[in-house]
Amino acid sequence: MSELLTKAIAKSEQVNNYLHPVRDQARSRLAASSWPNRKTEAWRYTPLRALEQSWQPSVPSTLSDEALARLDLPQLGSLDLIWLDGHLQAVEGQLPEGLSLSRFSDLSSDHRQSLMQQLGQTKPEHHLFGNINDAMLEDGLWIDVAPNAQITQPIRLVFAATQAMTEVQSRVLVTLGDNAVAHIVEHHLGEVRQWQNQVFELSLGNHARLDHQALYAQQQECLFIGGWHCALGQSAELNSLVLAQGSQLKRINFDVLHRHQHASANLDQMYLLAGKDLFDLHSCIEHEQANGQTNQRVRGLVADQARAVFNGRIHIHQDAQKTAAALNTRTLLLSSQAEVDAKPELEIYADDVRCAHGATVSQLDDQSLNYLRSRGVAKHQAQAMLSLGFMQELVADLKHESARNWLQSYLKQAFWALQE
Amino acid sequence: MAEQIEQALKREYEAGFVTQVESETLPPGLNEEVIRAISARKNEPEWLLEWRLKAYRIWLEMEEPEWAQVSYPKIDFQSISYYSAPKSMADGPKSLDEVDPELLETYKKLGIPLHEQQMLAGVAVDAVFDSVSVVTTFREKLLEAGVIFCPISEAVHKYPELVQKYLGSVVPQKDNYYAALNSAVFTDGSFVYIPRGTRCPMELSTYFRINELNTGQFERTLIVAEEGSYVSYLEGCTAPMRDENQLHAAVVELVAMDDASIKYSTVQNWYPGDENGRGGIYNFVTKRGICHQRAKISWTQVETGSAITWKYPSVILKGDDSVGEFYSVALARGAQQADTGTKMIHLGKNTKSTIIAKGISAGKAQNSYRGLVRMNPGAQGARNFTQCDSLLIGDRCGAHTFPYIESRNPSAIIEHEATTSKVSEDQLFLCRQRGIDTEKAVSMIVNGFCREVFKELPMEFAVEAGKLLEVSLEGSVG
Amino acid sequence: MLKIDQLFAQIEDKGILKGLSLDVKPGEVHAIMGPNGAGKSTLGNVLSGRDGYEVTSGSASLDGKDLLAMEIEERSHAGLFLAFQYPVEIPGVSNLEFLKTAIEAHCQAKGVEPPSSAEFLKQARQACKQVNLPQEFLKRGVNEGFSGGEKKRNEMLQMMLLQPKLCILDETDSGLDIDALQTVAKGVNDMRSPERSFVIITHYQRLLDYIKPDFVHVLSDGQIVRSGDASLALELEKLGYGWLNAEESA
């Protein structure tokens, strides 16, 4: 199935715009890559067979009011950016001071130069699908928050899949200047057969803060491969919560780079899988400099014949003394045909660090179950309450109220659907 | 401070001497002729030769594994000699009196006197020197209990039906690259058979010694514990200090029938090479056991030697209610690289496994834990607990953890914990304030870190393991 | 016994002790009180030789021997004992093993035979009883999973077994409930003798209700600004440390 590679390489030669250095470099990397198989460590548990179809490019379309209503987006008081099959719709409303949104294709020549300096700064070069995204790069969106700007209104990025049998490559760059604050919400949805390959590159300036929530709600037919790569400046703070449902193929590479000292990352990641879905989360936390902090919590519920794959890597470089990094992952299997494959890795090259991993795969804890039953709650009900509680714990910690309400109710709904 | 600690951990490699003994060594190189020559030298039956050749052909088709967190120049398998034995062993000495005194002296120097009356009571030893077994002690006494303990080359002749039945039954020839190589060229090793319902009356132990230059050691150990039997087996390993790397690719197979219990302990102290990574043994070992109903296999290892260690003693928990254990201390100093861990494959109901792995890294060493816990669909009510702790000493070493967790059964419970720590200044200060010098304090702290594993070792080996970390174990009180 | 003369010490480039002098004679109990940041803990650390503290001038001697020239463990062998404010945990190393190693090191330094295992065990059990710790604490890792009070009792246990000449208690009373406080005080009082001296560093007066000091010193900004008898502690307790500064500036 290296047709995809061939296609990406061909595309990289066809497109003609100022982004060609990105495409050219990716092309040479792709030429030297091979298609993953079961022996490829990064794809050990996740077969790519579902991609073996003939995908068509998606066609630009405009979102009608009815179609917008059908998306049934919750009220978050947000500034909304909507991609329909990879095509960004016109943005309505006034932008807050300090926020600028630009399509790569609209940039002035000065800005083009600074964009070219930013692209590829946080994305690792060895990611096959990142390279495919690079090779096919035609356009993208750059969200920039000026230094010291405090954008409290959530910026919501909606990615909707509506055209069947299409292939979508999308690209977003987010940059926060020093001391800037922003809140980004991602909402991915769609039910049609589509393949999306997405790359997010984010870069936080010194003392900048990004609050981030992402809901990957695409259903079964939607195949998704995403790279989310965030670099942290000195004393920068990233607070991120990811909630994902599975599909036939859904893979997210979630990377955080502590490029400077004293940064902190609080990462909560949850998945809720049913049917024959698959969800594969590969997180990679790089502590390159000293005094960084990472606190990562991962919770998963896996029902039916679904499969969860989790690879959590924490890499402490030699200069990253005094790092405190903790990863805790807990998975509940809810059916006898469900599967989980987890690998919480530690790679440590500095001696004065505090790193810990905890991983459990289990059923619900008998003690809590018995406690609830002793209070008269029926067993199946007690099980449901505890399983849901196990996930809700993380959402409940969200500070932003409307985002919390939205994700809590989504979680509940998804959970009860899974119980049926 | 890190330097002080590193200094405290340094020690001479005491087993680094060479024994001057005339050897008969096959010229370097590997092909079917070499395999036939090894087989002929051991006077092997036809089936075993065919078995070896089959393994060799499989090996030719395989690729050297590269997934471990270790790096070394490609091994030239044609530059290694696959058979070397002291000439004096050619006539097959019948008793200890006929064994070349040089050989006996070698083992004595290593702290393993082979004269029965000088030995620790209660330990029987099989001494393997390069490619042959020199002597096996207490054989008659063991036979009285029905226990067979002899070189595997001898078992092939004396107990062919047992060897044929179990050889390769746990680690098949095609299992992995080094196991295939071992199957093709293995020379000696120990064979243990414990009959039904028998508790082996003594500790069994094999002591492996590589002596000859440019020789690989490819030993094969097979332990079969029949229903309801028990055996505790120990192995130790050393080699001279040489500038060239030497290959050690062993295979160990354990079979624990219903209600049987095998305790297998290793104190591995192959020559680790010098501070700059010159010389040392490449220790690429496949160890695996299979547990039938209610059986138990316990691996305990203290890995302090070798330039590179690549080793994952595993248990297949086939029978219901069977138990697998893995207790490991891996110390990597200087330029050593260790990639070690275990696999616990849960097939049966209510199977249990425990993994306690302690890794200590110092100097420029890289130390990795790599483990797999798999709960198959049939592993109803199975449990695993894993604890991986790393201790880093100095800021140029690395400690890594790669645990694979695969669950296919909702009623199975897997718990994995990993931590990392260092010998803290506060701990050292407390010890020194109470009058204990740095060297002793470091030994004590490192030893404390390993305590959970050391307490699993049989007494005789606990002492040796403690010495290896320059630590006296438990005080004489307590 | 302990003689400190015009001691100046710093951490990195920050001066903490600024000309501290103190003379402790055999059998005396001195309490050193003072506000946070006065340099109280630094004093114990400097005297015991902890890394990171630099003595820039002045002297400190124990029985006429220059303390500052000695290694940490040599100071211990010379009879200096520091009871820590926050005793560290050493996982896997049993208390018993730790104590035995320490006592053997002391005996070796003095050139005397260490006690037999049986004798040592007897002493350890006896000391355990005295500080109200169950015997099983001897087999547990040093301070491993101990509560705050248990850690402090364990410090007393070590002090009893090592029989030092000079005991420095660094805020041993902090975070203790009344029972533990009394146990600690009893431990100290039992050990008082004409040959042994104590320096008790504390923020509060309350420990001194149980251990009667011969002298009380107030440490402020790296110097002893006032000395007196036990009544000084009561005065301080009543008026607070602010009173000191007010008086000085007046």
Side-chain angles (χ1 to χ4, degrees):
Chain A
M1 185 53 206
S2 48
E3 283 159 46
L4 266 175
L5 292 185
T6 323
K7 207 165 125 186
I9 290 172
K11 173 88 185 260
S12 73
E13 287 166 332
Q14 286 157 17
V15 183
N16 188 11
N17 68 13
Y18 74 101
L19 296 163
H20 69 84
V22 175
R23 292 188 296 268
D24 294 347
Q25 283 164 23
R27 183 166 62 239
S28 60
R29 290 197 295 267
L30 284 180
S33 327
S34 50
W35 192 248
N37 58 35
R38 279 189 70 85
K39 287 196 170 166
T40 314
E41 185 63 24
W43 295 93
R44 183 185 176 96
Y45 298 109
T46 302
L48 290 165
R49 278 187 311 273
L51 291 179
E52 292 172 21
Q53 300 215 338
S54 47
W55 307 102
Q56 298 303 314
S58 67
V59 185
S61 61
T62 310
L63 185 67
S64 65
D65 287 348
E66 302 87 73
L68 179 63
R70 271 203 304 277
L71 293 180
D72 193 21
L73 297 172
Q75 290 299 323
L76 297 183
S78 52
L79 173 75
D80 290 345
L81 310 175
I82 300 173
W83 279 259
L84 206 56
D85 303 304
H87 301 283
L88 177 60
Q89 306 293 301
V91 180
E92 286 172 27
Q94 184 78 32
L95 294 190
E97 175 107 15
L99 173 66
S100 74
L101 304 173
S102 348
R103 289 174 203 265
F104 294 177
S105 53
D106 290 344
L107 288 172
S108 68
S109 61
D110 283 4
H111 285 106
R112 286 179 178 192
Q113 222 172 358
S114 50
L115 174 76
M116 291 303 284
Q117 279 163 8
Q118 291 279 355
L119 284 178
Q121 284 301 303
T122 58
K123 185 176 77 67
E125 290 189 351
H126 63 270
H127 280 188
L128 181 72
F129 288 89
N131 287 333
I132 291 177
N133 192 284
D134 271 358
M136 301 179 81
L137 180 65
E138 269 188 283
D139 205 348
L141 180 75
W142 184 2
I143 303 175
D144 180 64
V145 181
N148 303 310
Q150 315 267 313
I151 315 288
T152 48
Q153 184 187 19
I155 306 164
R156 176 162 59 186
L157 286 60
V158 179
F159 298 91
T162 63
Q163 294 172 26
M165 292 312 293
T166 57
E167 169 187 334
V168 168
Q169 305 279 335
S170 55
R171 183 81 169 223
V172 177
L173 173 69
V174 178
T175 49
L176 267 63
D178 292 350
N179 302 307
V181 171
H183 180 183
I184 288 182
V185 176
E186 288 178 59
H187 190 169
H188 300 257
L189 68 169
E191 285 167 5
V192 299
R193 187 136 194 97
Q194 186 177 75
W195 175 48
Q196 300 174 22
N197 182 25
Q198 184 174 72
V199 171
F200 258 78
E201 287 189 274
L202 305 98
S203 165
L204 272 56
N206 298 339
H207 298 276
R209 191 185 85 212
L210 176 66
D211 293 326
H212 170 249
Q213 292 95 41
L215 173 66
Y216 295 91
Q218 309 99 315
Q219 301 299 299
Q220 245 252 308
E221 293 287 311
C222 258
L223 316 183
F224 181 85
I225 293 177
W228 203 95
H229 316 284
C230 182
L232 305 180
Q234 185 172 329
S235 303
E237 182 184 334
L238 169 67
N239 302 306
S240 165
L241 182 140
V242 169
L243 173 59
Q245 290 188 286
S247 75
Q248 254 181 40
L249 170 63
K250 197 179 281 186
R251 158 70 169 255
I252 297 169
N253 273 83
F254 194 99
D255 300 342
V256 176
L257 283 88
H258 290 254
R259 274 217 176 122
H260 300 276
Q261 296 203 15
H262 293 287
S264 78
N266 300 301
L267 313 172
D268 286 339
Q269 296 154 338
M270 294 178 287
Y271 52 85
L272 199 103
L273 313 181
K276 288 187 170 175
D277 285 350
L278 167 95
F279 177 64
D280 175 349
L281 175 64
H282 268 58
S283 76
C284 177
I285 317 298
E286 302 274 354
H287 280 269
E288 292 177 358
Q289 293 297 329
N291 297 303
Q293 267 192 58
T294 296
N295 190 5
Q296 186 179 6
R297 301 185 290 182
V298 183
R299 300 271 188 277
L301 288 181
V302 191
D304 304 336
Q305 297 161 60
R307 241 157 53 75
V309 179
F310 172 67
N311 195 108
R313 178 167 182 259
I314 293 182
H315 181 183
I316 314 287
H317 296 245
Q318 202 174 356
D319 293 332
Q321 296 291 2
K322 309 270 180 208
T323 293
L327 163 60
N328 181 289
T329 166
R330 292 168 61 190
T331 315
L332 293 183
L333 291 182
L334 301 179
S335 106
S336 61
Q337 286 169 297
E339 294 184 10
V340 59
D341 298 301
K343 181 161 64 114
E345 295 177 42
L346 283 175
E347 213 173 313
I348 299 174
Y349 296 93
D351 58 342
D352 191 9
V353 297
R354 279 185 294 132
C355 286
H357 265 180
T360 59
V361 179
S362 62
Q363 284 180 305
L364 288 167
D365 156 36
D366 273 347
Q367 241 182 347
S368 341
L369 205 58
N370 289 339
Y371 180 78
L372 287 186
R373 293 177 71 189
S374 76
R375 296 291 178 266
V377 182
K379 189 177 175 188
H380 69 277
Q381 215 175 351
Q383 275 169 334
M385 275 169 76
L386 289 171
S387 317
L388 184 59
F390 161 84
M391 306 285 278
Q392 274 187 325
E393 206 185 344
L394 305 195
V395 183
D397 289 348
L398 268 186
K399 286 194 194 73
H400 192 275
E401 196 185 344
S402 52
R404 182 177 66 235
N405 292 341
W406 163 52
L407 289 170
Q408 268 178 339
S409 65
Y410 188 89
L411 182 63
K412 257 184 217 162
Q413 219 177 355
F415 178 77
W416 292 115
L418 174 147
Q419 291 290 302
E420 275 158 18
Chain B
M1 189 196 70
E3 271 170 35
Q4 285 175 316
I5 300 175
E6 272 174 53
Q7 205 59 40
L9 271 178
K10 263 186 199 151
R11 65 190 164 85
E12 292 295 310
Y13 185 71
E14 284 172 359
F17 61 89
V18 179
T19 305
Q20 295 305 331
V21 59
E22 236 189 302
S23 284
E24 190 204 3
T25 305
L26 282 181
L30 181 58
N31 51 50
E32 296 206 358
E33 279 322 297
V34 167
I35 293 166
R36 285 176 200 281
I38 293 171
S39 187
R41 208 141 302 207
K42 305 236 166 215
N43 218 348
E44 283 175 357
E46 187 63 22
W47 70 263
L48 189 51
L49 174 62
E50 284 309 316
W51 194 84
R52 287 174 179 277
L53 290 171
K54 186 179 157 205
Y56 175 66
R57 287 165 201 145
I58 290 169
W59 179 74
L60 285 176
E61 301 289 312
M62 294 177 97
E63 277 173 35
E64 213 173 326
E66 285 173 352
W67 40 259
Q69 190 89 348
V70 294
S71 59
Y72 54 94
K74 222 163 172 46
I75 298 170
D76 178 4
F77 289 93
Q78 296 304 333
S79 71
I80 297 169
S81 167
Y82 291 84
Y83 183 87
S84 177
K87 271 210 172 121
S88 60
M89 295 303 296
D91 324 323
K94 296 285 174 295
S95 74
L96 214 51
D97 301 338
E98 293 174 31
V99 173
D100 183 346
E102 274 294 327
L103 294 176
L104 297 180
E105 186 55 30
T106 299
Y107 285 92
K108 202 171 160 193
K109 258 171 139 172
L110 295 168
I112 309 162
L114 296 175
H115 287 280
E116 293 185 2
Q117 63 275 23
Q118 295 171 4
M119 294 193 48
L120 286 166
V123 183
V125 177
D126 182 14
V128 177
F129 191 89
D130 288 333
S131 303
V132 290
S133 169
V134 175
V135 71
T136 310
T137 61
F138 293 113
R139 288 169 60 167
E140 289 73 26
K141 191 172 169 205
L142 289 167
L143 265 178
E144 282 168 28
V147 172
I148 301 169
F149 181 41
C150 70
I152 199 158
S153 54
E154 190 182 318
V156 168
H157 297 287
K158 283 193 173 162
Y159 316 101
E161 61 298 331
L162 282 175
V163 176
Q164 201 169 358
K165 181 172 174 192
Y166 292 110
L167 188 71
S169 69
V170 189
V171 180
Q173 291 133 303
K174 62 175 188 300
D175 189 80
N176 68 68
Y177 190 77
Y178 299 109
L181 177 64
N182 175 285
S183 302
V185 302
F186 77 88
T187 44
D188 225 329
S190 302
F191 174 74
V192 176
Y193 178 81
I194 317 288
R196 198 172 164 156
T198 304
R199 191 179 170 88
C200 184
M202 13 177 41
E203 299 273 349
L204 306 184
S205 139
T206 302
Y207 203 93
F208 295 100
R209 175 77 178 168
I210 298 179
N211 187 60
E212 195 61 26
L213 184 66
N214 292 330
T215 310
Q217 192 176 55
F218 304 91
E219 87 264 7
R220 186 120 194 160
T221 297
L222 174 58
I223 300 180
V224 179
E226 289 285 10
E227 262 177 57
S229 66
Y230 168 86
V231 62
S232 169
Y233 176 93
L234 334 164
E235 74 177 342
C237 340
T238 56
M241 291 163 75
R242 294 188 190 280
D243 288 346
E244 296 78 15
N245 295 109
Q246 282 179 281
L247 179 62
H248 172 253
V251 170
V252 175
E253 296 178 277
L254 310 183
V255 179
M257 303 307 285
D258 294 356
D259 300 297
S261 176
I262 301 176
K263 183 173 176 60
Y264 193 108
S265 313
T266 304
V267 173
Q268 184 265 103
N269 185 27
W270 294 118
Y271 176 53
D274 68 11
E275 285 297 299
N276 302 312
R278 204 164 47 157
I281 302 289
Y282 291 167
N283 188 35
F284 299 154
V285 174
T286 305
K287 291 183 166 175
R288 190 177 306 148
I290 186 162
C291 277
H292 293 273
Q293 310 264 334
R294 297 170 302 278
K296 175 175 171 181
I297 289 178
S298 181
W299 297 102
T300 305
Q301 61 173 28
V302 177
E303 303 279 324
T304 61
S306 298
I308 298 177
T309 299
W310 179 100
K311 182 181 167 191
Y312 317 91
S314 307
V315 184
I316 299 169
L317 297 155
K318 183 169 179 243
D320 294 349
D321 302 296
S322 58
V323 176
E325 293 174 341
F326 176 74
Y327 300 97
S328 170
V329 166
L331 168 70
R333 294 164 300 134
Q336 281 178 279
Q337 305 175 58
D339 193 299
T340 184
T342 183
K343 295 182 196 173
M344 293 290 174
I345 311 294
H346 291 252
L347 304 177
K349 291 193 190 86
N350 300 316
T351 44
K352 284 195 177 59
S353 63
T354 304
I355 300 171
I356 308 286
K358 305 275 182 178
I360 302 156
S361 318
K364 291 176 287 181
Q366 300 297 323
N367 202 337
S368 303
Y369 168 82
R370 188 180 303 277
L372 167 67
V373 175
R374 178 184 291 153
M375 299 294 181
N376 271 42
Q380 195 69 18
R383 283 210 70 150
N384 159 265
F385 175 76
T386 302
Q387 171 94 41
C388 293
D389 297 322
S390 304
L391 188 70
L392 287 100
I393 297 169
D395 57 4
R396 289 163 307 147
C397 56
H400 319 302
T401 317
F402 305 100
Y404 292 76
I405 298 167
E406 303 179 353
S407 184
R408 308 279 179 273
N409 189 304
S411 68
I413 299 176
I414 303 175
E415 281 177 90
H416 170 91
E417 283 172 23
T419 66
T420 167
S421 58
K422 63 171 203 162
V423 176
S424 78
E425 303 212 15
D426 285 351
Q427 288 173 335
L428 270 189
F429 182 57
L430 170 64
C431 292
R432 295 182 67 194
Q433 209 302 304
R434 299 301 184 250
I436 302 166
D437 65 42
T438 308
E439 196 173 325
K440 213 171 262 159
V442 170
S443 292
M444 203 162 71
I445 293 166
V446 170
N447 186 39
F449 174 76
C450 302
R451 163 172 285 206
E452 280 167 279
V453 174
F454 284 171
K455 76 178 182 358
E456 296 298 324
L457 285 172
M459 273 295 272
E460 293 78 4
F461 262 31
V463 175
E464 190 173 341
K467 269 200 309 219
L468 284 177
L469 297 177
E470 269 194 350
V471 188
S472 69
L473 266 178
E474 310 256 352
S476 50
V477 289
Chain C
M1 166 134 342
L2 174 67
K3 197 163 174 50
I4 306 174
D5 191 30
Q6 284 295 311
L7 191 64
F8 284 78
Q10 59 187 38
I11 306 177
E12 283 163 4
D13 284 332
K14 192 169 178 284
I16 311 281
L17 298 184
K18 300 170 182 172
L20 186 142
S21 299
L22 183 68
D23 193 357
V24 179
K25 298 204 161 50
E28 290 177 353
V29 175
H30 290 241
I32 297 193
M33 302 183 70
N36 290 328
K40 297 196 301 291
S41 289
T42 298
L43 178 61
N45 286 330
V46 167
L47 290 179
S48 54
R50 187 174 201 137
D51 286 347
Y53 295 84
E54 194 195 341
V55 174
T56 49
S57 72
S59 67
S61 63
L62 184 64
D63 284 343
K65 281 179 284 184
D66 182 4
L67 266 182
L68 304 179
M70 291 188 231
E71 289 292 325
I72 301 170
E73 53 269 35
E74 289 169 345
R75 300 182 199 204
S76 171
H77 301 155
L80 183 145
F81 182 94
L82 175 66
F84 291 87
Q85 184 177 2
Y86 304 109
V88 66
E89 301 191 4
I90 311 182
V93 176
S94 79
N95 241 338
L96 211 52
E97 187 183 347
F98 174 70
L99 288 165
K100 189 159 192 286
T101 312
I103 284 176
E104 281 170 358
H106 277 256
C107 290
Q108 200 187 353
K110 291 194 187 84
V112 300
E113 271 296 304
S116 71
S117 293
E119 177 60 23
F120 164 71
L121 199 59
K122 209 176 105 193
Q123 288 171 11
R125 290 197 173 133
Q126 176 59 31
C128 233
K129 223 173 270 165
Q130 269 177 279
V131 298
N132 262 332
L133 276 179
Q135 304 282 322
E136 75 241 27
F137 275 70
L138 290 173
K139 293 199 174 173
R140 281 174 57 178
V142 177
N143 295 322
E144 199 180 352
F146 289 20
S147 71
E150 286 162 354
K151 282 182 182 171
K152 298 293 172 69
R153 288 171 207 241
N154 202 28
E155 294 292 289
M156 291 300 111
L157 176 96
Q158 292 168 26
M159 187 165 89
M160 284 172 184
L161 286 171
L162 290 173
Q163 294 285 316
K165 285 185 193 155
L166 173 70
C167 308
I168 304 171
L169 276 64
D170 186 6
E171 306 217 18
T172 298
D173 52 333
S174 69
L176 288 192
D177 62 28
I178 196 73
D179 287 347
L181 194 69
Q182 284 177 353
T183 309
V184 166
K186 184 169 179 305
V188 170
N189 289 330
D190 287 352
M191 283 184 72
R192 280 177 86 153
S193 83
E195 292 83 40
R196 182 173 292 127
S197 311
F198 290 85
V199 173
I200 295 170
I201 298 169
T202 179
H203 188 77
Y204 301 104
Q205 204 283 116
R206 63 174 193 159
L207 180 62
L208 306 180
D209 287 344
Y210 303 97
I211 306 172
K212 281 275 164 279
D214 301 308
F215 299 95
V216 173
H217 309 277
V218 179
L219 186 65
S220 177
D221 195 25
Q223 288 183 336
I224 287 178
V225 294
R226 183 178 290 246
S227 299
D229 60 13
S231 65
L232 178 58
L234 292 168
E235 214 172 326
L236 270 177
E237 180 82 355
K238 206 158 45 188
L239 299 169
Y241 290 111
W243 154 74
L244 271 176
N245 299 334
E247 202 171 72
E248 263 164 39
S249 52

